Amino acid sequence: MKKLFISLIVALTSVTGTMAQSIKVAEPEFAEETLLLTSNSQGVKLSRENGTIKTKAGASLYLTGIGKVKSRLTLKGIKSTSKAVGGSTTRLIIKAADNKTDPNSFISVFKFEVKGKERRYQLAEAGTLSKTESNNLSSVEYNAKKYGESSYYIVLEGLTAGEYGIVIGDPNHENTKNGMKVTTFTVE
């Protein structure tokens, strides 16, 4: 069983590496830009939106002093302007300042919940009678390889239909508009 698992990982890694070598797309121009690959020779730049962090307490917390407080990353609108095809492999090239750091430590891919007129992702939850929980934003697993001089080739397998976001860097680092930059795309 252990040998089979190791063989599977080695095969997956070599396939990802081989795929990255056959890609002939120029790196994005600036750090934190993301390309969605439409073929081995073309990519489309994904949209970046300003998100905000909203914190909300449940009504029971106000009435009885017992309840939960939730913090969420929210974006206006129910859809991204960028689209990808679901059910297959989604491939991205994300430019960073350099590609010397493990991308799993600072590139987070996650699926939004669509509620009302916004997309949201729960970051943390704290309760008066329960433990505090923080999500790590890495809810979508991916395989990554170095690409070019300062980019990463990211492979996402079998994404289901919905709204997705990518945060690069510290999720607590806010921009000048008192929000955070989120790269977004829709899987149809």
Side-chain angles (χ1 to χ4, degrees), residues 129-185:
L129 297 177
S130 62
K131 66 180 181 176
T132 300
E133 293 182 25
S134 293
N135 294 353
N136 64 6
L137 284 181
S138 294
S139 59
V140 176
E141 296 292 322
Y142 60 83
N143 293 311
K145 290 280 183 192
K146 290 182 178 185
Y147 184 82
E149 292 182 27
S150 59
S151 296
Y152 294 95
Y153 173 70
I154 306 286
V155 178
L156 305 159
E157 296 288 344
L159 296 180
T160 58
E163 298 298 314
Y164 290 84
I166 303 167
V167 173
I168 302 168
D170 182 1
N172 296 319
H173 184 268
E174 295 188 16
N175 66 23
T176 56
K177 295 183 180 177
N178 199 27
M180 54 189 308
K181 288 289 193 179
V182 181
T183 302
T184 61
F185 63 99

Side-chain angles (χ1 to χ4, degrees), residues 28-96:
E29 186 175 358
F30 299 109
E32 299 188 14
E33 286 185 340
T34 302
L35 294 178
L36 170 68
L37 296 181
T38 55
S39 70
N40 283 347
S41 60
Q42 292 185 333
V44 177
K45 186 177 163 185
L46 294 180
S47 6
R48 292 197 24 106
E49 301 180 48
N50 286 318
T52 55
I53 305 292
K54 293 183 179 178
T55 302
K56 183 177 180 183
S60 63
L61 187 63
Y62 294 113
L63 297 172
T64 64
I66 299 172
K68 294 184 179 182
V69 177
K70 296 178 182 180
S71 291
R72 294 185 176 106
L73 166 63
T74 61
L75 297 176
K76 291 181 183 175
I78 60 170
K79 278 198 173 288
S80 171
T81 57
S82 302
K83 294 185 180 8
V85 177
S88 62
T89 301
T90 303
R91 303 174 304 151
L92 308 169
I93 295 176
I94 300 176
K95 184 159 185 166

Side-chain angles (χ1 to χ4, degrees), residues 18-30:
T18 304
M19 288 176 64
Q21 292 171 356
S22 65
I23 306 295
K24 303 293 182 214
V25 176
E27 289 182 82
E29 186 175 358
F30 299 109

